[in-house]
Amino acid sequence: MSWARADEEEYWHSSKFRAFTFDDEDDELSQLKESKRAVNSLRDIVDDDDDDLERVSWSGEPVGSISWSIKETASSSTSSLEGQDSSLQKGPSSYAAFPKQASSYSLSSLFKGEVSPIQCGQMALSDTGVKNYAPELRRPKAEYKDYSSDWSPKDTVIRMQRGKVCSLERFRSLQDKLVLLDEAVAGHDGNVITAVLIFLKRTLRREILFRELEVRQVALCHLIHFLKETGEQKFLLDLLRTDCAPFPSLQLSQYREHLNIQDVEKRREFLKGCIGLPFSAEDTSHIQDHYTLLERQIIIEANDRHLETAGQSEIFRKYPRKASILNMPLVTTLFYSCFYHYTEAEGMFSSPTNLKKTFKIPDKQYVLTALAARAKLRAWDDVDALFTTKNWLGYTKKKAPIGFHRVVEILQRNNAPVQVLQEYVRLVEDVETRLNLATKYKCHDVVIETYRDLKDRIQLAAYKCKVERGSGEEEKINSILNNTVRKYLL
């Protein structure tokens, strides 16, 4: 008998399943559930072995025989009453006791070695309801603390760091919420800090939240990063308008976000929101101009698209637009305006003079852009009017704020005729520059006149070899060289 008990103890203690426990520690719930699954899994083992074993009663009679059935029927009522009395005595909080059913094997068979202790245990479990062995497990008392709201801010942060679910709704006062935030920052866990900030963002007014974050720069940086990731631009703009933003570069980085906005209306609204950010005076002026320019571009684009589609404008029929004006730089917008809307009145949004006045475009930039646009259209009269000025006496003269040497280069790039080039080459004040430009662009009359004014007979004779024989330029050179008036000779 001692040998059989030793084998039985060795089997149960070597099993991979753990015994049931009523401990209330937090980490014991998973072990209890594992124990329940282990007990329930024995049903499959027992069911597989039922067909191979012969069941016998305590008296040694085979289970299912006629004598066994008579005795079992007579004792069934007594056994059930005893089971009920036993369960009532233990109280409602205890688990159900094992029912007193007849075993499938006799003790004599077990002691004689005919049945092993393992088979005996399997059949006993098979005869008894499995759910009586592993009833529904109640939740440990420790977990009810999450719902009874008795966790301190520090304990709450610790549980959140461990990945456990915690309700933050119990922290209702401002003081408790700020203590919770400070504990989260002290824990150096970004996920916990962000979770607490989301809770504060939902439960606090913005001005109160911004005021408290001003002295909590770590939490503020986490909130800014979170708002950028979630795309809450309006909330972020409101935050950056306050004085709590830690670095001025944050405002500039927020302004650069307009590059990622494709929809023109959304970009316009975004730029409008950026105007109120605490930038420097220069940056604020730049952002205001950017917003105004985009508004102008939207108006010009809508109007020109309509004119181009309807075919009501000759310039759009002759020179179809190659791209939209939306989101273009100011200089490109000015060129577009000088190309398609040069003659419009100043009161029109698309007028070049209106753009110049609104955005305070310098004279040099305006003249360069307008010259390039009108020269591309070969509108030489507009080019001439661009440089013609009148004094108070009514006399006219040509004046170029960019220098006539640059005017000549722009005209030559746009294939201006020689007569037009020569007119502006003559206006170059520096003699050496004038000769270089005239020689480079084959403005022969300018070269001959310059050498004549310089009384340089040698250079004039050398230049005679560069003109065509029998041309008017050659005759002009010969006339100067053969002139007996000494003011034209060295």
Side-chain angles (χ1 to χ4, degrees), residues 448 460 463-464 467 473-481:
I448 295 171
L460 189 60
Y463 193 75
K464 179 181 176 180
V467 300
E473 290 81 6
E474 185 181 26
E475 293 179 1
K476 189 174 182 178
I477 293 174
N478 290 332
S479 175
I480 295 173
L481 292 175

Side-chain angles (χ1 to χ4, degrees), residues 91-263:
S93 60
S94 62
Y95 290 94
F98 297 157
K100 296 181 179 180
Q101 297 181 3
S103 175
S104 300
Y105 293 98
S106 64
L107 292 176
S108 58
S109 300
L110 177 62
F111 297 151
K112 291 178 181 179
E114 298 177 3
V115 181
S116 67
I118 297 178
Q119 292 174 333
C120 181
Q122 289 176 345
M123 297 315 299
L125 288 173
S126 176
D127 289 345
T128 307
V130 177
K131 63 182 180 180
N132 291 332
Y133 284 92
E136 196 66 30
L137 300 177
R138 65 180 178 88
R139 189 183 300 274
K141 292 182 180 178
E143 288 214 358
Y144 283 100
K145 293 182 179 180
D146 291 340
Y147 302 97
S148 60
S149 303
D150 56 357
W151 288 106
S152 66
K154 184 175 182 180
D155 293 336
T156 301
V157 170
I158 293 175
R159 290 180 63 81
M160 293 175 69
Q161 289 175 339
R162 293 177 179 178
K164 297 184 178 181
V165 178
C166 295
S167 176
L168 304 180
E169 300 300 331
R170 65 171 296 267
F171 301 103
R172 299 190 178 185
S173 68
L174 177 61
Q175 184 63 30
D176 288 344
K177 292 176 181 179
L178 296 179
V179 172
L180 178 65
L181 178 60
D182 293 336
E183 290 292 344
V185 173
H188 304 290
D189 191 319
N191 293 332
V192 176
I193 296 174
T194 303
V196 174
L197 286 171
I198 294 173
F199 169 66
L200 298 183
K201 173 177 170 288
R202 191 180 73 251
T203 58
L204 291 178
R205 283 162 43 189
R206 291 189 180 184
E207 55 269 22
I208 297 177
L209 177 61
F210 296 162
R211 182 192 66 199
E212 298 299 335
L213 289 179
E214 187 174 357
V215 295
R216 295 171 174 84
Q217 295 294 305
V218 174
L220 177 62
C221 291
H222 278 78
L223 180 60
I224 291 174
H225 181 75
F226 170 76
L227 294 175
K228 286 183 177 180
E229 290 293 326
T230 56
E232 298 184 52
Q233 297 294 344
K234 189 176 185 305
F235 194 98
L236 182 57
L237 288 174
D238 292 342
L239 174 60
L240 295 179
R241 286 193 188 99
T242 63
D243 297 331
C244 66
F247 308 107
S249 59
L250 287 175
Q251 285 84 350
L252 291 176
S253 64
Q254 176 63 18
Y255 166 70
R256 284 195 293 269
E257 288 295 323
H258 78 272
L259 299 174
N260 301 324
I261 304 175
Q262 301 300 326
D263 185 81

Side-chain angles (χ1 to χ4, degrees), residues 320-382:
R321 300 189 308 157
K322 297 182 179 179
S324 171
I325 193 62
L326 296 175
N327 299 319
M328 292 297 176
L330 177 58
V331 175
T332 305
T333 306
L334 179 61
F335 180 90
Y336 177 93
S337 180
C338 291
F339 193 93
Y340 290 106
H341 304 281
Y342 189 71
T343 58
E344 288 186 1
E346 185 178 342
M348 302 293 292
F349 282 149
S350 54
S351 169
T353 53
N354 188 301
L355 290 174
K356 177 185 177 183
K357 183 177 179 180
T358 302
F359 298 101
K360 299 179 176 59
I361 301 175
D363 289 340
K364 289 184 178 181
Q365 184 65 65
Y366 178 80
V367 170
L368 276 173
T369 308
L371 174 62
R374 303 319 291 174
K376 192 173 186 65
L377 288 172
R378 305 182 69 81
W380 310 122
D381 292 339
D382 293 338

Side-chain angles (χ1 to χ4, degrees), residues 423-441:
E423 181 180 356
Y424 289 95
V425 171
R426 287 190 181 98
L427 296 174
V428 178
E429 294 182 0
D430 185 72
V431 176
E432 185 177 355
T433 304
R434 186 196 318 153
L435 282 173
N436 290 336
L437 290 174
T439 304
K440 181 179 180 180
Y441 300 132

Side-chain angles (χ1 to χ4, degrees), residues 311-319:
Q312 299 175 358
S313 178
E314 181 181 355
I315 191 170
F316 286 112
R317 292 196 303 267
K318 191 174 181 179
Y319 301 99

